[in-house]
Amino acid sequence: MENRPLVTQIQRFSVNDGPGFRTIVFFKGCPLRCQWCHNPETQSFSPEIYWKSRLCVQCGHCFDVCPNQAVFPPIPPEEAQREDSTYYKIDKAKCDKCMKCVEACSYGALEQVGKPMSMEEIVEELERDRPFYDNSGGGVTISGGEPLVFGEFIRKLMDALKARNLHICLDTSGHSPWEILEPVAERADIILYDLKHLDSDEHERLTGVPNQLILHNLQRLTAKGCRIWLRIVVLPGCTDSIDYHRRVVAFLRSLPGSLERIDLLPFHNWCQDKYRWLGRPWSFGETESVHPDEVEPLLELYLSAGLNATIGGSGFQAQATASG
Ligand code: SF4
Ligand code: SF4
């Protein structure tokens, strides 16, 4: 597995994960379980299956081929697609991920999420977008899940990309032993570092892990002079108050080194389909998206503290920098 970690997607032309046009590699597997996660398909370390009810005609081919009786019998499509339907195609407790059902579905209603990829395959995919990197000042963003759980593979991948003179961003939660983080951080041109919550108890409630290691790693990275873009999701009822952000600003100003910028990311709920396709409930599914205008007062707080901050974190956005 370490030589061929699972990749859920290689996404092209992103403008929100580092400067210029980025091609993002999403590795599958994460030690955190952020309740608001926008990429729930990257959490598990195993392959998963999307079932897209709107594409399913309930033909029963998947039911016929499953060797483990892990596919539920067809029901009328309109019943399966009803808003309040609890029908889901696959019984996960019985499924061994043989993927025979995916092969049998000719309607695209079943899709394997997470395919093993070798270093060579990933590099070849990333090389294809070189003209876009060159024309936009962009490059590659290594993301997940949490890429640091594949530390040795990621180090070698970054060496291969550096040998090709490609710009690299590392997107991480920072939840990693320093011995793994440091050599990876040294290879990154920019680190996109998440600050999920300042208070450890709340961090643990929201993500499943405390934050001491993450905050300590952030201190060490700034002390080393790494280029860091800190990312803070503005989450309704959790990280959206002025008082909370005042405390964040005080913490950031106490760091031993500086941050290149801080990106305030308004929460959105556009990923509801992914949860449905995985057959998983989402506790933030009913939460309204935050409009960027609502984040303006928070932005002002950072700017007036002399911190370089943006709303949304676009790699093309003119950076708002305050003096003093
Ligand atoms: S094979 Fe595809 S379309 Fe047919 S029942 Fe299964 S998921 Fe639905
Ligand atoms: S992946 Fe294999 S075991 Fe799982 S539901 Fe599909 S056919 Fe059955």
Side-chain angles (χ1 to χ4, degrees):
M1 181 65 86
E2 180 72 1
N3 289 329
R4 297 183 79 220
L6 295 179
V7 172
T8 60
Q9 190 188 5
I10 293 185
Q11 182 185 322
R12 315 200 121 85
F13 308 121
S14 169
V15 294
N16 293 315
D17 297 281
F21 282 128
R22 317 293 307 179
T23 298
I24 312 175
V25 190
F26 288 96
F27 288 94
K28 185 161 164 52
C30 185
L32 275 62
R33 288 292 176 271
C34 303
Q35 289 183 23
W36 65 91
C37 181
H38 288 140
N39 295 311
E41 76 283 11
T42 63
Q43 290 182 340
S44 162
F45 286 87
S46 304
E48 289 173 280
I49 299 173
Y50 278 153
W51 174 62
K52 301 180 177 177
S53 63
R54 272 167 273 184
L55 298 178
C56 178
V57 299
Q58 300 287 347
C59 65
H61 292 158
C62 51
F63 175 78
D64 295 338
V65 298
C66 179
N68 298 330
Q69 288 79 51
V71 177
F72 289 109
I75 64 170
E78 57 280 7
E79 207 175 299
Q81 291 167 9
R82 257 197 354 247
E83 266 303 297
D84 59 346
S85 173
T86 55
Y87 177 88
Y88 187 73
K89 196 46 112 174
I90 293 166
D91 182 345
K92 293 181 201 167
K94 292 185 182 167
C95 173
D96 68 3
K97 317 279 174 61
C98 74
M99 302 297 165
K100 289 194 171 119
C101 56
V102 176
E103 289 161 28
C105 179
S106 39
Y107 297 90
L110 291 170
E111 183 183 322
Q112 178 174 343
V113 188
K115 295 188 177 155
M117 287 187 80
S118 68
M119 178 101 45
E120 294 71 25
E121 288 167 330
I122 295 171
V123 171
E124 193 183 325
E125 278 292 309
L126 296 173
E127 270 286 3
R128 287 174 45 194
D129 297 333
R130 182 181 285 278
F132 301 102
Y133 311 146
D134 292 347
N135 289 333
S136 68
V140 171
T141 298
I142 296 173
S143 183
E146 175 49 72
L148 291 171
V149 293
F150 308 105
E152 194 186 339
F153 183 92
I154 298 296
R155 275 200 313 277
K156 289 180 183 163
L157 174 62
M158 292 170 101
D159 286 341
L161 298 174
K162 276 287 145 212
R164 288 164 175 78
N165 207 23
L166 292 174
H167 184 276
I168 306 172
C169 287
L170 169 73
D171 180 10
T172 180
S173 68
H175 182 72
S176 170
W178 180 249
E179 303 70 50
I180 293 173
L181 172 59
E182 185 182 33
V184 173
E186 285 169 349
R187 287 163 169 81
D189 293 291
I190 297 174
I191 303 169
L192 311 175
Y193 201 96
D194 297 337
L195 179 62
K196 294 175 190 288
H197 206 288
L198 200 56
D199 304 328
S200 196
D201 288 350
E202 193 61 359
H203 195 283
E204 188 161 7
R205 182 182 76 78
L206 289 166
T207 72
V209 301
N211 70 3
Q212 288 90 353
L213 175 65
I214 293 167
L215 298 187
H216 188 47
N217 281 339
L218 180 60
Q219 287 165 332
R220 295 177 86 168
L221 289 173
T222 60
K224 272 176 79 73
C226 293
R227 293 180 65 191
I228 298 173
W229 292 13
L230 193 76
R231 313 220 287 183
I232 303 173
V233 175
V234 178
L235 199 60
C238 299
T239 57
D240 60 346
S241 76
I242 284 274
D243 282 349
Y244 173 74
H245 284 271
R246 279 202 187 100
R247 291 197 294 119
V248 173
V249 166
F251 168 72
L252 299 184
R253 295 191 74 173
S254 76
L255 289 169
S258 60
L259 299 168
E260 190 163 308
R261 65 185 237 184
I262 296 135
D263 293 329
L264 300 172
L265 309 178
F267 166 83
H268 65 75
N269 58 17
W270 308 331
C271 54
Q272 301 201 32
D273 277 345
K274 288 184 177 181
Y275 282 90
R276 281 195 209 105
W277 296 342
L278 291 168
R280 282 173 49 180
W282 187 30
S283 55
F284 277 84
E286 300 297 315
T287 304
E288 290 286 318
S289 295
V290 175
H291 192 279
D293 288 352
E294 298 173 56
V295 182
E296 284 290 340
L298 305 180
L299 178 70
E300 285 304 316
L301 200 62
Y302 288 83
L303 297 179
S304 60
L307 296 164
N308 182 27
T310 77
I311 296 174
S314 168
F316 287 105
Q317 189 170 332
Q319 292 180 22
T321 310
S323 57

